[in-house]
Amino acid sequence: TTGPLAIVRAARSPDATEAGEHQPPEASASGRVVVGIDGSSSSRRALRWALEEARLRRASVDVVHAWQPPYVVVPSPYVAPSPFPSVPAGTDVVESHARVLLNQVIDDEDLRHQPAPVERILVCATAARAVLDTALGADLVVLGTRGLGGFPGLLLGSVTHHVAHHARCPLVVIP
């Protein structure tokens, strides 16, 4: 695809809320746009598009970046093989690098004409879960077609694919 792809769900009545589903707060007059970033060129284009759309809508922008703790394998001749043979390692360093990336990607953009300060959200979770949780009550989610994953043959990355199937608000996918 050469242009943005919008996925818009059918409107739901307030009493059609599923059990356990988060009830979004009353929509503000200006609205809220959520954009997921991972540092890839696709996510940077998605951020630019989201910022422009937020300007047009007079909406706020939440930029979310997810990180996960690294795991290292700790082999031991004294421990029986386990289905979970790894342990988390050095989360402070990974979280710090994730925060630097989040700030750097946002700081590379012109934010002078945004109607509200851009919210920087760093989450220790899978990327799809971070975007979906942040998007509760949002008016729009914006993602790139694919980010830093290792499946170059896919049109949509795994995160975008997952969010497309589970987001409760419209999603715009930027190539």
Side-chain angles (χ1 to χ4, degrees):
T1 180
T2 59
L5 166 70
I7 300 171
V8 182
R9 306 251 184 258
R12 300 175 100 177
S13 63
D15 53 330
T17 302
E18 298 172 11
E21 181 182 320
H22 179 271
Q23 184 71 348
E26 288 297 315
S28 63
S30 59
R32 186 166 64 94
V33 175
V34 172
V35 58
I37 60 121
D38 61 7
S40 67
S41 59
S42 180
S43 76
R44 288 172 186 264
R45 286 190 301 275
L47 175 58
R48 273 184 225 107
W49 194 94
L51 291 169
E52 182 58 29
E53 185 66 17
R55 282 184 203 107
L56 295 171
R57 292 174 178 240
R58 306 284 310 149
S60 64
V61 177
D62 291 350
V63 182
V64 62
H65 177 56
W67 67 277
Q68 291 185 295
Y71 285 85
V72 294
V73 176
V74 182
S76 171
Y78 306 108
V79 178
S82 164
F84 307 104
S86 57
V87 295
T91 59
D92 292 346
V93 171
V94 177
E95 181 178 10
S96 176
H97 284 294
R99 184 165 308 284
V100 166
L101 184 138
L102 174 65
N103 289 330
Q104 182 178 51
V105 169
I106 294 171
D107 293 344
D108 284 348
E109 300 300 323
D110 179 6
L111 305 178
R112 290 178 294 181
H113 302 292
Q114 293 307 127
V118 171
E119 187 74 26
R120 299 162 192 248
I121 301 171
L122 185 64
V123 180
C124 179
T126 65
R129 180 80 279 141
V131 170
L132 289 169
D133 287 350
T134 303
L136 290 173
D139 298 293
L140 179 67
V141 173
V142 182
L143 294 173
T145 50
R146 49 182 270 48
L148 300 173
F151 300 103
L154 295 177
L155 175 61
L156 297 180
S158 59
V159 172
T160 304
H161 185 264
H162 187 84
V163 173
H165 285 278
H166 297 283
R168 301 281 183 207
C169 64
L171 167 68
V172 172
V173 181
I174 306 298

